[in-house]
Amino acid sequence: MAGPPNCAGIEHLSARYTVCTFDPAKDAIRLFGAATLGEGGATYDRLNTHLLRNGEYMSFAMNGGMYHPDHGPVGLLVEQGRETGALNRGDAFGNFFLKPNGVFWVGDGKAGVTETGAYAGAGIAPREATQSGPMLVIDGELHPKFLPDGTSLQVRNGVGILPDGRIAFVISIDPVRFHDFATLFRNRLGCRDALFLDGSISSLYAPEIRRHDRDAVMGTAIAVVRRLPW
């Protein structure tokens, strides 16, 4: 018997979003860098082929962070306990460096979104992790540089931790500004911490709502992985 749906559509400030929630205590959430999936960047089809070879499949996936032209991660990336990208505390231009930035991590049946400096000092040893930026919500406060009348509108995706510890993956259907996207996590979902994953190249694989962005090419993919029943 099928359980409740993981993905649902909501509206916030006249924009449409898809919100997909998972429980890190029950769902196997894993990260896959482009180097793991072969040359040319990560795609959902390459990821599914990789999983099927190991008797697994994905029930959900989303692009998971920013990358260099060679599709390597800009910051921290941990795949099944193996660090394949180092924590980046540097300064430069672009959304990743619109500080504070942060880390989404999973391990020991729980998940978190932690600001980069706090993460570096916390001694967290995750099974999976990806660093991106900017933070959307930091301990219940919006990122200080977001403007309610900002003019940059993009399709955006991000991740936050719900009050009950479940993970909320969100992608906008309509182009939205950072400020509105952040208030969705804080005001509508109740997330005290949330992280921007990317914009304009944001994508989703969610067969339960018939969504498969086949043209998406990513540096990192986040997936909910299940074992094949046979």
Side-chain angles (χ1 to χ4, degrees), residues 26-48:
K26 299 177 181 178
D27 297 305
I29 299 158
R30 287 167 54 188
L31 274 80
F32 299 86
T36 298
L37 302 178
E39 295 182 3
T43 68
Y44 296 126
D45 287 341
R46 286 176 187 157
L47 174 52
N48 216 27

Side-chain angles (χ1 to χ4, degrees), residues 80-98:
Q80 293 190 278
R82 182 172 62 97
E83 185 176 299
T84 55
L87 192 72
N88 186 340
R89 301 185 70 178
D91 295 307
F93 295 103
N95 287 333
F96 183 95
F97 299 99
L98 185 61

Side-chain angles (χ1 to χ4, degrees), residues 3-154:
N6 294 109
C7 297
I10 67 170
E11 288 194 12
H12 176 66
L13 300 178
S14 301
R16 298 168 298 161
Y17 298 84
T18 299
V19 180
C20 300
T21 58
F22 297 93
D23 186 345
K26 299 177 181 178
D27 297 305
I29 299 158
R30 287 167 54 188
L31 274 80
F32 299 86
T36 298
L37 302 178
E39 295 182 3
T43 68
Y44 296 126
D45 287 341
R46 286 176 187 157
L47 174 52
N48 216 27
T49 298
H50 173 81
L51 290 170
L52 289 171
R53 292 192 188 107
N54 298 295
E56 300 170 321
Y57 71 99
M58 60 184 185
S59 62
F60 164 89
M62 174 177 278
N63 60 298
M66 298 174 191
Y67 54 89
H68 293 296
D70 66 355
H71 296 98
V74 175
L76 179 71
L77 180 59
V78 179
E79 304 175 60
Q80 293 190 278
R82 182 172 62 97
E83 185 176 299
T84 55
L87 192 72
N88 186 340
R89 301 185 70 178
D91 295 307
F93 295 103
N95 287 333
F96 183 95
F97 299 99
L98 185 61
K99 294 184 176 178
N101 54 23
V103 177
F104 165 64
W105 56 269
V106 181
D108 296 326
K110 60 184 179 181
V113 169
T114 307
E115 184 272 329
T116 294
Y119 179 90
I124 299 170
R127 189 185 72 248
E128 314 284 340
T130 182
Q131 183 184 10
S132 191
M135 289 283 288
L136 298 169
V137 185
I138 313 103
D139 195 23
E141 299 293 331
L142 300 186
H143 192 291
K145 294 184 179 178
F146 294 167
L147 301 175
D149 57 352
T151 58
S152 175
L153 300 176
Q154 299 282 352

